[in-house]
Amino acid sequence: MNDLDFMNEALQEAQRAKELGEVPVGAIVVHRGEIIGRGCNQPILRHDPSAHAEMMAIRQAAQHLGNYRLPECELFVTLEPCIMCAGAILHSRIARVVYAATDPKTGAAGSVINPFADCRLNHQTQVVDGVMAHESADMLRAFFRERRQAEKERKKTVV
């Protein structure tokens, strides 16, 4: 499998998040070509602000390997990681992050800030952006458009 195949798997996780009523972000962790962690956004469902797709996938991968360090792993995620997730990625020693769409409001892989580029940190993670960016961005735009439309409809029925 290649980056496109793995990002397609992450997009399937994003679709799962959407079906749960969450913002459609999905992530997978790959170790030596095998998917060992999957996650989709679930902060609303779990009442947990840390239940981002990346965090869920990293937790599952760490359990799979029996180690909190994931140095031979790659993370594929449909949206640029936030600062919380970037911290977890760096602390878990993930070797490579591949993300689809940029996040100009909270992106922590170059859009707003970039701890991955800070050579003062003791771990360096390679970052690749833009893999299937259009597909991910389209899914996010459609989700928020549908949410705004539903809110308009709800307001109409209340009045």
Side-chain angles (χ1 to χ4, degrees):
M1 291 179 69
N2 61 31
D3 287 359
L4 291 174
D5 297 322
F6 289 129
M7 190 60 75
N8 266 315
E9 293 289 328
L11 282 166
Q12 288 177 27
E13 291 298 318
Q15 180 62 38
R16 193 168 71 102
K18 180 181 177 187
E19 291 165 4
L20 293 171
E22 300 276 359
V23 175
V25 179
I28 63 164
V29 175
V30 176
H31 179 253
R32 299 178 182 169
E34 175 190 356
I35 298 171
I36 62 166
R38 291 179 174 274
C40 69
N41 264 5
Q42 297 180 53
I44 298 166
L45 182 69
R46 292 180 179 259
H47 310 289
D48 179 356
S50 72
H52 287 195
E54 301 95 310
M55 302 294 279
M56 305 301 286
I58 289 169
R59 287 176 185 139
Q60 191 176 85
Q63 289 296 310
H64 178 86
L65 293 178
N67 193 344
Y68 72 107
R69 299 284 195 220
L70 306 171
E72 295 180 10
C73 293
E74 300 171 296
L75 174 77
F76 291 81
V77 61
T78 60
L79 182 65
E80 181 179 0
C82 71
I83 189 65
M84 174 184 67
C85 293
I89 291 163
L90 289 166
H91 282 291
S92 64
R93 307 291 197 267
I94 289 176
R96 182 171 174 252
V97 172
V98 179
Y99 72 88
T102 59
D103 186 346
K105 293 184 179 180
T106 63
S111 289
V112 178
I113 59 174
N114 192 356
F116 298 109
D118 192 334
C119 61
R120 295 172 298 175
L121 298 174
N122 68 334
H123 175 70
Q124 303 301 305
T125 297
Q126 178 189 4
V127 177
V128 176
D129 67 344
V131 176
M132 299 187 75
H134 294 297
E135 293 83 347
S136 179
D138 287 348
M139 184 183 290
L140 286 159
R141 276 193 291 273
F143 174 81
F144 287 111
R145 184 174 38 250
E146 290 167 15
R147 187 178 260 184
R148 285 189 301 273
Q149 185 60 38
E151 182 63 18
K152 281 182 185 178
E153 295 300 320
R154 188 191 66 74
K155 285 181 179 179
K156 284 181 185 178
T157 60
V158 171
V159 176

